[in-house]
Amino acid sequence: MDNLVEMRGITKRFPGVIANEDVDFELRHGEIHALLGENGAGKSTLMTVLAGLYRPEAGTILVRGNPVGFNSPRDAIDLGIGMIHQHFTLIESQTVTENILLGLDEPRFLMRLSHYDKQMAKIGEQYGLQVTPDVKIWQLSVGEQQRVEILKMLYRGVEVLIMDEPTSVLAPQEIEELFKTLRSMVEEGKSIVFISHKLNEVMTIADRITVLRQGRVTAAGIDPASTSKAELANLMVGRKVLFELEKTQREPGKVVLELQGVSADNDKRLPAMRGIDLKVRSGEIVGVAGVAGNGQSELGEVITGLRTCTGGRILVNGKEVTNRHARTSIDLGVAHIPEDRTHVGTAPNLSITDNVIMKKYREPPIARGTSLDRGAAQEMAQGLKSEYTILAPSVETPARNLSGGNLQRVILARELSSEPSLLIAMQPTRGLDVGAIEGVQQLLLEQREQGAAILLISEELEEIFTLSDRIVVIYEGEIVADGVEPDAEKVGLLMTGGSRSSSKERAA
Ligand SMILES: Nc1ncnc2c1ncn2[C@@H]1O[C@H](COP(=O)(O)OP(=O)(O)O)[C@@H](O)[C@H]1O
Ligand SMILES: [Mg+2]
């Protein structure tokens, strides 16, 4: 076998966690090898070991058949192995070229920057990586910054490029471009490890797939043509996942949520929403598509009363809630699945019981006069725990001990059991495993069935497409399209500002 890299019996522990247990991984010359697994499966850890950043407790690494020992990423780079992490490491105030040269022994590079600029542009061209070498990093979009990271690795002469969840920050077109670049890299004889938890992507781009579950390999180097999404999902989560959501035909009813020219600032006091008009009707799911940071968080927050509007009006069932206390929207039947589950969504130190009754402790049977009926509260929590299949030892388990999927179920139990007329669902499946995702999506469809108006804010286009009755696109704080077709290319173009350039400077 023509293995460029072999990892054998790798075990890597962190305090209290075995991140990788006796893992074997093989990378061939000129292949795109996907490392697939859900959150926490140990993908990043395994590749961070290969990139020389972590030392494993056990196991060996062979490169071109020779055993190697890495003391730093520098050692791995010297053997042609480089990793692009999920969080980039570029210096914002410096140019593309300066960033790429940083840390290299190129003594007088500052004197001949233009020479290097040309060199960068040339490598960029070779791999279809459009970058302008003399602009500063802060002027670039996230997608462009990723290209700089790739260029940096190519300039260092890597033969093996490891990319950790590279598509999570990209819009659909950018993903297409990245895939083209990856393909041209393998044509040039390079090898790529592509880390992902997304089945579709892995099926599209990989030559072979290795699956990790809870730190162990459940499938090694399989051919995408000989497997299916369902089988891969099963290997990832250890049980069957259906991929079938039932969505009925349904005519939307009366307008439940109406935004009239709503504006708001972000936390940095810069305009985040600019005069948004939007209506959501009963029994309808309106999906808001957009690249993170274009005003969608603020949109959810102004409706639920967590953020001040600087202009416009918000009506729920015809009643004005603009800049009212969050309690006003709760009383009008607004439920909220927040983006931040651990801090905004739940109280981590309180029990499941306390978390699910948060909105009901003022009402009977839980409120008894001025006191709280603990028994009634626990009884209700017990019912919700089984109805929403919250897996925990008891209803007195603190929220902080729950996994992401179970924590989200606690939130759903609390919010949905109040039979809301309006549901604001923000990134409702982010970070959940495929099985949990399907369960959450099913619950949203049930709410639609019961006549709730649902505003779905999600960065997962597939989720928006599957669930929405109507799709709107948000870009730089404006709704740039209302009622677009579920077409990734069209929506993607709108999400990135249509024909506008993606670079902040050029857009200005
Ligand atoms: N630096 C660290 N310290 C402690 N635990 C860690 C660290 N990095 C990862 N882990 C744990 O190791 C496990 C595997 O994590 P990771 O490799 O990041 O998974 P993946 O990339 O597949 O999501 C998880 O349980 C995670 O919490
Ligand atoms: Mg990871």
Side-chain angles (χ1 to χ4, degrees), residues 31 54 57 67 91 139 189 192 291 299 408 440 467 471 506:
E31 75 167 343
Y54 288 155
E57 275 79 43
I91 298 175
Q139 295 171 307
I192 291 162
V291 178
L299 173 63
Q408 188 69 319
V440 170
L467 298 178
I471 299 166
R506 278 172 267 144

Side-chain angles (χ1 to χ4, degrees), residues 23-25 33-38 41-43 46 196-197 199 202 208-223 227-229 231-238:
V23 171
D24 295 339
F25 179 79
H33 196 133
L35 189 56
L36 178 71
E38 52 187 10
K43 308 178 296 291
L46 184 68
S196 177
H197 65 270
L199 296 167
V202 163
R208 290 198 302 153
I209 304 167
T210 290
V211 187
L212 282 182
R213 177 168 80 234
Q214 294 176 0
R216 291 170 160 275
V217 174
T218 54
I222 52 175
D223 176 359
T227 184
S228 64
K229 264 175 69 179
E231 189 190 11
L232 288 176
N234 198 352
L235 289 163
M236 269 171 87
V237 304

Side-chain angles (χ1 to χ4, degrees), residues 127-272:
Y127 295 98
L129 290 161
Q130 285 176 21
V131 285
T132 319
D134 57 353
V135 300
K136 302 239 156 75
I137 297 300
W138 64 264
Q139 295 171 307
L140 302 179
S141 69
V142 183
E144 289 169 318
Q145 292 185 19
Q146 184 179 64
R147 284 180 229 151
V148 178
E149 292 274 10
I150 297 175
L151 205 55
K152 187 169 152 186
M153 287 299 156
L154 290 170
Y155 191 75
R156 279 159 178 66
V158 300
E159 290 299 315
V160 174
L161 181 66
I162 304 163
M163 299 196 77
D164 197 350
E165 311 247 5
T167 60
S168 58
V169 294
L170 302 180
Q173 275 80 9
E174 293 176 310
I175 295 177
E176 268 307 302
E177 278 170 35
L178 171 68
F179 283 6
K180 277 189 207 145
T181 298
L182 298 185
R183 290 206 181 91
S184 73
M185 288 176 66
V186 293
E187 269 162 33
E188 299 276 325
K190 310 230 181 260
S191 308
I192 291 162
V193 181
F194 179 88
I195 301 179
S196 177
H197 65 270
K198 295 186 182 167
L199 296 167
N200 286 340
E201 279 178 3
V202 163
M203 288 294 257
T204 310
I205 191 73
D207 296 309
R208 290 198 302 153
I209 304 167
T210 290
V211 187
L212 282 182
R213 177 168 80 234
Q214 294 176 0
R216 291 170 160 275
V217 174
T218 54
I222 52 175
D223 176 359
S226 70
T227 184
S228 64
K229 264 175 69 179
E231 189 190 11
L232 288 176
N234 198 352
L235 289 163
M236 269 171 87
V237 304
R239 69 190 138 74
K240 279 219 158 58
V241 180
L242 293 171
F243 294 114
E244 277 171 17
L245 288 170
E246 282 216 17
K247 194 171 160 208
T248 54
Q249 278 298 95
R250 207 172 190 296
E251 276 304 307
K254 67 176 175 59
V255 174
V256 175
L257 172 70
E258 181 165 6
L259 271 71
Q260 301 171 346
V262 174
S263 298
D265 291 345
N266 62 17
D267 291 339
K268 292 179 187 157
R269 303 205 171 185
L270 297 170

